[in-house]
Amino acid sequence: MTKVIPLPSPCAGLSVQLPTQTQSVSVFAGNTIERQQAIENALSMALYHIRHGDSIQAIRTATAKATRAASLLKHACECATNHAARV
């Protein structure tokens, strides 16, 4: 059975849910330090699964973590753009 990871769209409220992570992206809207930690953690976990796994499940897990990091980076860019537009 294949696990499906729903990706957020701009109209979907920016909520991402992964099998091991249920925290939504919008939680990090005002806290850049927490968002940076979440991005670094997701990237670090993706690398961990690539380095220490030799199965298809390890690759899928690494892909999910990398997707999470990309989603958080996209949200960070949107927040920065919105902040710059207000200043």
Side-chain angles (χ1 to χ4, degrees):
M1 183 171 165
T2 304
K3 292 183 181 178
V4 177
I5 302 170
L7 297 177
S9 67
C11 300
L14 294 173
S15 140
V16 175
Q17 292 195 2
L18 298 177
T20 58
Q21 182 110 11
T22 59
Q23 196 171 31
S24 68
V25 176
S26 60
V27 171
F28 304 113
N31 196 335
T32 56
I33 293 173
E34 284 184 11
R35 183 177 32 225
Q36 179 181 347
Q37 289 172 339
I39 292 167
E40 289 181 9
N41 184 47
L43 290 172
S44 177
M45 290 305 297
L47 289 173
Y48 172 83
H49 287 291
I50 290 295
R51 291 177 182 148
H52 295 95
D54 57 351
S55 67
I56 190 72
Q57 184 60 35
I59 294 170
R60 287 181 179 154
T61 303
T63 302
K65 296 297 182 181
T67 302
R68 170 73 175 158
S71 176
L72 289 168
L73 285 168
K74 179 182 174 185
H75 186 259
C77 288
E78 290 170 358
C79 289
T81 301
N82 291 340
H83 180 71
R86 283 185 262 147
V87 175

